[in-house]
Amino acid sequence: MAQKPMTKTQLVAALADRMDSDKKSAGEALDAITAIITDEVSSGGAVTLPGIGKIYCRERPERMVRNPATGEQMKKDADKVVKVTVAKALKDSVNG
């Protein structure tokens, strides 16, 4: 059975431990990284996290979709979606 994902509190504690710092500064660092990534991706850019992957925004064209409840076809407007491409190093560490 899969274990539960790491929470933000657990991540901040682990980050503080690795940085030999307090949880407050580790939490601020994590919040700053999150804000930077959000700003860059929402403006159409991309962010590469070495050893983890690339986070970017992709535009999807207008398309026809089906309502699963009624089977009715409807037009869905063009939109944007955030994508993550996982780095080969991370894939190799998980599989090897």
Side-chain angles (χ1 to χ4, degrees):
M1 177 174 237
Q3 70 186 66
K4 292 183 180 180
M6 184 181 271
T7 64
K8 181 179 178 181
T9 305
Q10 293 168 330
L11 181 59
V12 167
L15 187 60
D17 187 47
R18 288 276 174 106
M19 291 173 38
D20 292 327
S21 180
D22 60 313
K23 290 181 183 178
K24 183 178 180 184
S25 61
E28 290 172 355
L30 183 60
D31 290 340
I33 290 170
T34 303
I36 291 168
I37 291 171
T38 302
D39 291 343
E40 184 64 26
V41 173
S42 65
S43 67
V47 176
T48 300
L49 299 172
I52 296 174
K54 180 179 178 183
I55 304 170
Y56 59 98
C57 184
R58 185 177 78 86
E59 292 187 23
R60 292 197 306 193
E62 182 179 274
R63 62 197 185 280
M64 295 299 290
V65 296
R66 185 179 68 86
N67 182 337
T70 64
E72 174 189 5
Q73 291 278 331
M74 61 179 82
K75 183 168 54 169
K76 185 163 189 327
D77 294 333
D79 61 349
K80 295 179 181 179
V81 63
V82 176
K83 295 285 192 177
V84 177
T85 302
V86 180
K88 185 175 183 329
L90 181 58
K91 287 180 190 176
D92 291 345
S93 69
V94 169
N95 291 323

